Amino acid sequence: MVKAAIARPGGGCALAEVEPAPPGAGRVRVAMAAAGVCRSDLSIADGTIVHRLPTVLGHEGAGRVVEIGPGVDGVAVGDPVVLNWMPACGDCAWCGAGQPYLCPTAAGDADYARSGEGDVLGAAMGTGAFAEEVVVTDRSVVPIPAEIALDQAALLGCMMLTGYGAVTRAARVRSGQSVVVLGAGGVGQAVLTSARLVGADPIIVVDRDPAKAADSLSHGASTFCENYAAAARETAAATRRAGADHVFDCVGSAATVRLAWKLTRRGGSTTVIGIGPADQKVQFSAQELCTAGKTLHGCVYGDSLPARDIPVLAGLVRSGRLDLAGLIGDRIDLAELPSLVNSGRTAWTGGRTVVMLGAV
């Protein structure tokens, strides 16, 4: 039995003892070292994202392989790994089209573990990372260099991979292009960091929480705006009133999607990363969609391929170009996680909250 954070019907998060199934063919047991707290975890717990419940929460994590099942040859016991919550099947139409991040079988609704009371549990996004140990498919683990600290490596599993992929894979931002980032949470900071890495300029960050200004500016933002009116003024001033080449909506509400579209120049690109409520509707006129010449597209997991992109990010960390440590805020114990989730927050202070789970 291992300790894990469970979301149950009706909302909320609590710790429980759970017993994952043993690693069968093609599966791997990982002793978890750290897991980041993502807005998606809260959205699963409160029902914004429809998901099987009860479930072990968490999907952004890193740890060490402690046991492998028959037929596993990509990793060995002792290997440090990052979890991949989008382990594509490789056989469907989306995988065949080079879009494995849209694979409909990847999230995984299979029975995952049993609680001490005998309840059958699922695993959030097929991983259940807020646990001392997880058992996942071998397609859900990506080996990383041993010298990368595992609390930092956890961010590669979702936050950093999503932000980097959105910038470099989905939007294909080029050096010198202008970027606006709506929402300066974890993924927003990853988008900002990635835009800086590719040489975007200027980079305008918008968030209603003024406490996020210092981190945003230190991570490469040219300007930080606390409200939408200021964002419109600053974008106009920085782009000769044309609008930004690229606008990334890391919130996903109807209001921010419309704002992102407004701030995007004619012929530019609006990329929606944040997952908003399903009952919010965004309206566009048929005429504006045609005459604006803009691209509006969603972005799942940064349109990334974890087996390809996590090693790229690891290389940036090793070269000193990517400072994952600077993106981490609080480090908390698993016992502290339920109060954070039940408060509706992903962090008490700035930066990504990382749950420390023991394995090193």
Side-chain angles (χ1 to χ4, degrees), residues 19-264:
E19 184 175 7
R27 298 183 70 81
V28 178
R29 183 187 298 274
V30 179
M32 295 300 296
V37 182
C38 177
R39 174 60 58 180
S40 296
D41 300 314
L42 275 62
S43 296
I44 290 172
D46 67 19
T48 299
I49 295 177
V50 177
H51 196 286
R52 170 184 175 170
L53 297 176
T55 197
V56 180
L57 286 173
H59 62 281
E60 175 185 281
R64 292 189 183 277
V65 175
V66 293
E67 186 179 0
I68 60 175
V72 173
D73 56 15
V75 293
V77 171
D79 285 352
V81 294
V82 170
L83 297 186
N84 163 24
W85 58 264
M86 189 62 77
C89 71
D91 294 324
C92 68
W94 290 271
C95 289
Q99 298 173 305
Y101 41 85
L102 299 178
C103 177
T105 66
D109 283 329
D111 293 350
Y112 176 73
R114 287 187 178 273
S115 71
E117 296 77 32
D119 295 331
V120 179
L121 308 172
M125 301 185 182
T127 54
F130 291 149
E132 293 171 324
E133 291 185 355
V134 302
V135 176
V136 295
T137 172
D138 58 355
R139 292 176 285 111
S140 294
V141 291
V142 180
I144 57 171
E147 61 265 36
I148 298 179
L150 291 177
D151 59 338
Q152 299 176 35
L155 274 57
L156 300 179
C158 182
M159 169 185 155
M160 198 64 229
L161 186 59
T162 299
Y164 179 79
V167 169
T168 65
R169 307 297 186 189
R172 300 184 183 275
V173 178
R174 301 189 305 275
S175 178
Q177 290 189 312
S178 53
V179 165
V180 175
V181 183
L182 303 183
V187 171
Q189 293 293 332
V191 170
L192 163 59
T193 299
S194 301
R196 177 185 54 77
L197 280 170
V198 301
D201 183 57
I203 306 172
I204 299 169
V205 175
V206 187
D207 197 290
R208 289 181 290 185
D209 183 356
K212 295 178 180 177
D215 279 347
S216 298
L217 293 170
S218 68
H219 295 153
S222 309
T223 305
F224 180 87
C225 303
E226 294 180 21
N227 58 67
Y228 298 161
R233 289 195 303 271
E234 293 293 339
T235 302
T239 62
R240 300 196 303 177
R241 306 188 68 83
D245 295 309
H246 297 278
V247 181
F248 295 89
D249 179 9
C250 302
V251 180
S253 70
T256 55
V257 171
R258 277 300 318 188
L259 176 63
W261 180 261
K262 175 182 177 181
L263 298 180
T264 304

Side-chain angles (χ1 to χ4, degrees), residues 304-328:
S304 63
L305 280 71
R308 174 196 65 192
D309 294 330
I310 288 177
V312 171
L313 288 166
L316 291 170
V317 174
R318 296 174 73 183
S319 70
R321 295 187 61 205
L322 175 58
D323 177 21
L324 291 177
L327 295 171
I328 296 175

Side-chain angles (χ1 to χ4, degrees), residues 255-300:
T256 55
V257 171
R258 277 300 318 188
L259 176 63
W261 180 261
K262 175 182 177 181
L263 298 180
T264 304
R265 68 167 175 82
R266 292 186 69 192
S269 172
T270 303
T271 302
V272 180
I273 305 171
I275 303 174
D279 60 353
Q280 290 191 10
K281 307 299 181 184
V282 186
Q283 291 187 326
F284 299 88
S285 73
Q287 187 176 88
E288 71 177 307
L289 287 173
C290 173
T291 60
K294 305 178 187 181
T295 300
L296 172 66
H297 56 100
C299 176
V300 179

